Amino acid sequence: MAVIKGRIRGGGRQLAAYLLSYKTNESVRILDVDGQEGYTEQEFRDLLGDFSLNERLTKSSKGIYHATYNPPEALGAKLTDEQWMLAADVLTQELGFEHQRRAVVLHRNKAGRHHIHVAIERYHASGKMIPIPHNYRKHDKARAVLEQMFEEQPTAKVNPRRREMKEELTRLWNSTA
């Protein structure tokens, strides 16, 4: 099962330091920055710092949306850079950030699992931060699209043990009265 997480945040330079860190990662690669390859680490740090500078224009402290896509281990090990970028495109599109500046970083952690981080600038030319309502639903939709695209087993919509768990919780609750 693929896992997609994300949240709004500030601190672009701190995020850049985290994304480039080898503390928990065996390898770190900058795959893409604004549609370009070959960014240096310093240029990457500067870009995420610029994302934070735009926070001041709106008096917001959270000008970045930081998302991760962590596919099943077997799938992550065989995805090409182009497929990782396709996953970032799907995630960006489902979140409604398709015209925003972004950076994509591929990690392989010390346990050997591959995953990407997508840092997206929320500042819009209108002078406001783009809101991101219902982001968890959007993550779920992106996960479903990616599972279909990469021919993975779809994640169950409802816990198959839900009825059994509900009955057990009701029984326990009633036994305390």
Side-chain angles (χ1 to χ4, degrees):
M1 170 174 73
V3 176
I4 295 177
K5 295 184 196 178
R7 66 181 180 95
I8 58 171
R9 59 160 297 153
R13 291 205 180 275
Q14 186 278 332
L15 177 59
Y18 168 74
L19 294 179
L20 295 173
S21 171
Y22 283 88
K23 185 175 183 180
T24 59
N25 297 304
E26 189 173 303
S27 72
V28 174
R29 280 194 307 126
I30 301 169
L31 287 183
D32 175 79
V33 178
D34 285 339
Q36 300 174 24
E37 298 175 15
Y39 259 66
T40 67
E41 286 188 12
Q42 187 57 50
E43 290 169 329
F44 178 77
R45 290 176 198 277
D46 291 344
L47 177 82
L48 266 59
D50 288 350
F51 287 4
S52 289
L53 286 176
N54 287 331
E55 293 169 0
R56 295 182 186 155
L57 296 173
T58 62
K59 299 181 182 174
S60 171
S61 61
K62 297 182 177 181
I64 300 169
Y65 193 85
H66 173 211
T68 60
Y69 168 58
N70 191 350
E73 191 170 350
L75 175 62
K78 68 180 183 178
L79 290 179
T80 65
D81 288 356
E82 292 77 23
Q83 289 171 313
W84 284 112
M85 289 304 300
L86 186 59
D89 291 343
V90 167
L91 182 55
T92 302
Q93 183 176 12
E94 291 300 332
L95 289 167
F97 289 126
E98 52 271 289
H99 301 294
Q100 295 303 109
R101 297 170 67 196
R102 74 168 190 199
V104 181
V105 178
L106 174 64
H107 284 173
R108 185 177 75 235
N109 67 17
K110 300 210 183 224
R113 283 190 69 108
H114 294 79
H115 60 281
I116 56 170
H117 293 263
V118 183
I120 306 165
E121 182 178 40
R122 290 182 55 229
Y123 181 77
H124 187 267
S126 67
K128 297 180 180 180
M129 291 294 176
I130 298 172
I132 180 71
H134 311 291
N135 63 325
Y136 294 108
R137 285 189 203 151
K138 294 174 182 181
H139 295 167
D140 195 46
K141 177 119 189 270
R143 181 199 39 75
V145 168
L146 292 170
E147 284 174 344
Q148 183 177 15
M149 188 178 302
F150 295 134
E151 299 176 356
E152 288 291 307
Q153 182 71 28
T155 302
K157 297 238 184 259
V158 177
N159 185 335
R161 294 186 49 226
R162 180 183 170 134
R163 177 179 291 258
E164 176 186 328
M165 291 167 44
K166 185 176 178 181
E167 289 171 359
E168 179 67 13
L169 287 171
T170 302
R171 187 189 62 73
L172 290 169
W173 176 262
N174 291 335
S175 70
T176 62

